[in-house]
Amino acid sequence: MIKINEHFAELPASYLFTEIARRVAAFQSSEPKADIIRMGIGDVTLPLPKACTDAMHKAVDEMAVRESFRGYGPEQGYEFLQTKIRDYDYKPLGVDIDLDEIFVGDGAKSDTGNIGDILSSDNKIAVTDPVYPVYVDTNVMAGRAGELLPTGCWSNIVYMPVNAGNGFVPELPKEDVSVIYLCFPNNPTGTTLTRKELKVWVDYALEHKALILFDAAYEAFITEPDVPHSIYEIDGAKKVAIEFRSYSKTAGFTGTRCSYTVVPKDCVGYGKDGREYQLNGFWRRRQCTKFNGTPYIVQRGAEAIYTDEGQRQVKDIVNYYLQNAKIIRNALTAKGYEVFGGINSPYIWLKTKGEGSWEFFDYLLHEKHIVTTPGVGFGPSGEGYIRLTAFNTHERTREAMERI
Amino acid sequence: MIKINEHFAELPASYLFTEIARRVAAFQSSEPKADIIRMGIGDVTLPLPKACTDAMHKAVDEMAVRESFRGYGPEQGYEFLQTKIRDYDYKPLGVDIDLDEIFVGDGAKSDTGNIGDILSSDNKIAVTDPVYPVYVDTNVMAGRAGELLPTGCWSNIVYMPVNAGNGFVPELPKEDVSVIYLCFPNNPTGTTLTRKELKVWVDYALEHKALILFDAAYEAFITEPDVPHSIYEIDGAKKVAIEFRSYSKTAGFTGTRCSYTVVPKDCVGYGKDGREYQLNGFWRRRQCTKFNGTPYIVQRGAEAIYTDEGQRQVKDIVNYYLQNAKIIRNALTAKGYEVFGGINSPYIWLKTKGEGSWEFFDYLLHEKHIVTTPGVGFGPSGEGYIRLTAFNTHERTREAMERI
């Protein structure tokens, strides 16, 4: 008899965006003429940089001719892209990464989701609260979460609240944890850690032989000098951290799919007998067995980000969204709201003046015709907050702020 | 302390293609002027069909303009492609598949590898021997394999030999198994099952409430009328089978990455308490949580396969390789070798005249300067066979056969 993975049955239906869609649809049918501005979902709107589309056209042409056609590529990505990543994303930070520590993938969601394959199911997981749901759901699927509590939290996961009270800096867990998910600049709060604050976590991981899964998907939005672009800027991090990066928000690749994951050869895990194993080899084996590489055409598109025009075009895109973030921050601050994020991030995290997340969501939808995301949807500590995104046009973003 | 998945440590290094590469390199350095013909690896060589590259150029142009830019797509694929799959790949077979039963992915390797996520680790797995290594290795990673025996087999996996002795038709397992991997047309042997022979397996699965994971990646190569193109041609299969298909060998997508998986809503698994669960919902949840869809540009390329020109161009490609297969079959048969496959498949499975697989591999490499794949690399029952692929040019294929 075919036995299912019972943990899938324990996972409640993904509620947040479905519920948002339901409420928006209900409002639309009651007020069909309302001009709704969408600032809820974290998807980009600007087209791909010209450098990327030029490179992809060229790659498509190569694939049309026998002499330049490419079949199976290396599962861990082409060296032409790995080299650019090493030289442009890490060398300027003073971080030396070897090519065989870079794994090109099809998205940070896949990689942060699949990384658990190489870890035992009895690791103790810690996440910030609020949190990107993929970290939690994938650990539920792998049987690391325990039971779902009435709070919406899982009994065996350690939640570390981040909120206005602690300046969005998570406290070290009191219990011994072995896998820590950190996403900075943070989704959903848009907040960051300084080098000194991040060092606390690297030191914890070194001391406890824990692993940090560092999601740097929003790295390109960093504007402040004291915010680390990579966890490897912190001494010792190579021994305890895997870093995930993505071209999704940087270069508009949400529908084009390219990312990469760095697994340093110094980074180790432990067997039951205490023996050390390189996680690099494990992840390589995982990728070679269950993945066949990112499309050649897409990798050529990503490579073009690192040309001079590519770098300029990507900066323009990021700046466009950051200007929206500034418009939102300024407008809401002027209106007396406490807002966070939006300086090193496309996300603005607004603290309501006492209303619950869903209550304030409904207020903005019904009174201002603006769609946002209720903070509580990302975890209990998100209650009393909403998330706004800077991915709309300048015009629509300004209009939304005028409505508020 | 971070605990590794111990099963990764149990998995021996992937030996086959590394060892082939080592022997070829050693030969090349001893005879640098030898003109080596490669018939080992299962990768295509003809360029992408023009219909596909035209469609991808158009899609790249769409991505370059704000109005037609596409961000996140549906994780399970765009409806434009799902509709074509339903109407062109299944309707002509008399098989009704709903759109929400079709999941577009980035490769059959990913999907056959990841499908185990939704299954309990205590299922009993059965594979044919020889076998595509991904089925076995991913089950080792998931802890379903038991211990590695001196034979190279795993203690908890049921191996079903296919060889000249049983006409390459596996026998039903004597033990009760719950997950059965079947790949037909088969990799590596190139052999097929008739509808009647496949029905035996569907009936077994229905009786034992087992699940068949049916890999139909080579379906496009079928030329004989009695060979089923889909397992759903067999009555009752929707209740017990998941089918994997790929554009890799069909349309030269090995470096472009697109595939799909069909999980019928009738197909169920069981909880510990015997409760039924739809595997469709589980796989949807898995994909929505750990995958963000196949690139828009690539899905448009795949869609173009279903245009009139696309269908013609793909048939030309497949016929080109099938002609090679025929050249190989005829030449080897004339030389007195027993050969299998190559009629509904790009793979030819040659039975040596008593030599071991590696011995015959070395003979062909050193004496004929031809690279093949030793059958024993796919499992113990592959001993005494080698695999040749039809993916070279007509000219080189003919030359190779003249050398033999």
Side-chain angles (χ1 to χ4, degrees), chain A residues 74-91 95-105 111 232 238 242-245 247 258-265 280-281 283-284 287-288 291 294 299 306:
Chain A
E75 285 93 344
Q76 65 276 19
Y78 279 102
E79 203 174 301
F80 63 73
L81 180 54
Q82 293 171 317
T83 309
K84 293 291 180 354
I85 290 166
R86 180 192 64 189
D87 295 346
Y88 284 73
D89 290 347
Y90 289 102
K91 273 206 182 140
V95 174
D96 282 322
I97 298 287
D98 290 340
L99 295 187
D100 61 1
E101 298 177 320
I102 298 168
F103 297 82
V104 176
D111 284 359
Y232 305 121
K238 276 191 185 175
I242 290 173
E243 181 163 294
F244 304 92
R245 295 231 191 155
Y247 301 106
C258 196
S259 65
Y260 62 88
T261 293
V262 176
V263 188
K265 281 171 283 188
N280 179 282
W283 182 243
R284 181 176 311 280
Q287 291 298 81
C288 288
F291 183 61
T294 303
Q299 291 191 61
Y306 298 98

Side-chain angles (χ1 to χ4, degrees), chain A residues 2-3 5-6 12 43 48 57 61 63 66 72 109 117-118 120 123 209 270 272 285 288 393, chain B residues 2-3 5-6 12 43 48 57 61 63 66 72 109 117-118 120 123 209 270 272 285 288 393:
Chain A
I2 171 72
K3 290 173 216 119
N5 176 347
E6 303 264 347
D43 195 4
L48 292 181
H57 276 306
D61 283 337
M63 296 296 269
R66 184 169 198 146
Y72 289 121
K109 188 184 183 189
D117 281 8
I118 67 171
S120 165
N123 282 291
K209 296 188 172 177
Y270 300 89
K272 276 181 199 142
R285 190 63 194 265
C288 288
T393 61
Chain B
I2 172 72
K3 289 171 220 123
N5 176 349
E6 303 264 347
D43 197 2
L48 292 181
H57 276 304
D61 283 336
M63 296 296 269
R66 186 170 198 143
Y72 289 121
K109 188 184 181 189
D117 281 9
I118 67 171
S120 165
N123 282 292
K209 296 187 171 178
Y270 300 88
K272 278 181 197 142
R285 190 62 192 267
C288 287
T393 60

Side-chain angles (χ1 to χ4, degrees), chain A residues 100-241:
Chain A
D100 61 1
E101 298 177 320
I102 298 168
F103 297 82
V104 176
D106 73 331
K109 188 184 183 189
S110 307
D111 284 359
T112 56
N114 291 328
I115 194 77
D117 281 8
I118 67 171
L119 306 176
S120 165
S121 61
D122 64 351
N123 282 291
K124 185 87 176 179
I125 305 295
V127 296
T128 59
D129 166 29
V131 68
Y132 175 50
V134 165
Y135 309 152
V136 172
D137 290 358
T138 55
N139 279 295
V140 173
M141 291 172 178
R144 294 190 195 96
E147 282 168 34
L148 184 59
L149 306 172
T151 56
C153 292
W154 293 84
S155 62
N156 203 34
I157 290 182
V158 174
Y159 292 83
M160 308 175 293
V162 289
N163 51 45
N166 61 14
F168 295 91
V169 179
E171 271 177 45
L172 290 177
K174 282 167 195 67
E175 316 166 56
D176 198 33
V177 301
S178 55
V179 180
I180 303 154
Y181 288 83
L182 294 178
C183 172
F184 290 100
N186 186 253
N187 176 18
T189 68
T191 58
T192 52
L193 297 184
T194 62
R195 279 184 190 80
K196 203 176 146 193
E197 287 160 349
L198 186 56
K199 185 174 184 303
V200 171
W201 287 93
V202 172
D203 290 345
Y204 174 94
L206 286 165
E207 190 188 328
H208 290 79
K209 296 188 172 177
L211 177 69
I212 298 175
L213 299 174
F214 192 73
D215 186 347
Y218 297 92
E219 172 275 332
F221 292 86
I222 295 172
T223 60
E224 293 182 317
D226 196 28
V227 177
H229 289 251
S230 164
I231 194 165
Y232 305 121
E233 294 181 49
I234 313 299
D235 273 350
K238 276 191 185 175
K239 290 189 183 149
V240 291

